[in-house]
Amino acid sequence: MRILTGDDVQQALPMDQAIEAVKAAFAQLSKGEADVPLRTSLDVPQHNGVTLFMPAYLADDDAMAMKIVSVFNDNPGKGLPLIHAAVIVVDAETGAPEAMLDGTYLTALRTGAASGAATELLARRDARVAAIFGAGAQGRTQLEAMCAIRPIDQAWIYDIDREQAETVAEEMSEVLDLSVEVADTPACAASRADVICTATTSSSPVLSDADVRPGTHINAIGAYTPDMQEIPPETILRAKVVIDHHEAALAEAGDLLIPIGEGVITVDHIHAELGEVIAGDKAGRETAEELTLFKSVGVAVQDVAAAAAALKAAREMGLGREIDL
């Protein structure tokens, strides 16, 4: 079994290649060429956390894996990452476990890659200003993905923890060689952005509908349960909504389930799955003034595709180490 650390994964799979791998996975998902059970959620209320078990099989790629990912909300106060994860890659021919990858970085990478794919298809081609809500690991890869897809030359970061936002702004300015500034208010970030990415664990909207300009594209990737919400219902109503997966979104996406429950929208308001847009079966952005929104709760096909691509490259590059179980 090959063991890949987060550094190994980062070296093996750059963002542009991750985006292409995830695009192929979403296309398979929408064509019915993937077996993706709804994830199993194990709540741990006494420690303010949840652990998710996410298996998937991609038939066209003949690739199989399962991710175990934990989100424990008290961790940052303990100096620990909010998210811990591991991905087990299983040989689809024999069923033998063939690799274990650090899933904490892989989760941030594949989530950024999904937003990168959505941005490629839904954001205006002249988008140059990005706004990131949430200064965690996900926020970092969201910005990286935006810069891989569009000529971003200005970015704003907003977080309720200003010190953390300042740390990430300084770091990403250096990594991406562009101006990254901390926004004093949500309005400061949202009202200036061509592309907005929300990567928080909020249970209420993190921005105001009035601050979202026509022509903006939004990647809403933080809320992954029915009672979590990052985007105002009014914004959902006026947006062309693209999702990662119908079954998962209608079971878990509070950003959609809450306005559906309030009668603001119906299920028919969902325009397409991202895989349908990738395949050309449904339209992406059609006008410069259109407001577009990609709602993702995270689907295991992203992990399988990213893990398989990272493992293949790692073997070619001699990364990681082999162990006998």
Side-chain angles (χ1 to χ4, degrees), residues 226 229 233 236 250 253-267:
Q229 185 182 29
I236 298 290
L250 294 178
D255 281 319
L256 302 179
L257 294 174
I258 290 171
I260 288 173
E262 293 174 348
V264 176
I265 62 168
T266 67
V267 173

Side-chain angles (χ1 to χ4, degrees), residues 157-177:
I157 294 182
Y158 177 79
D159 195 286
I160 56 175
D161 184 339
R162 185 179 179 88
E163 184 176 347
Q164 175 66 11
E166 290 172 348
T167 298
V168 173
E170 182 178 354
E171 174 189 328
M172 298 309 292
S173 292
E174 183 174 345
V175 170
L176 299 172
D177 191 26

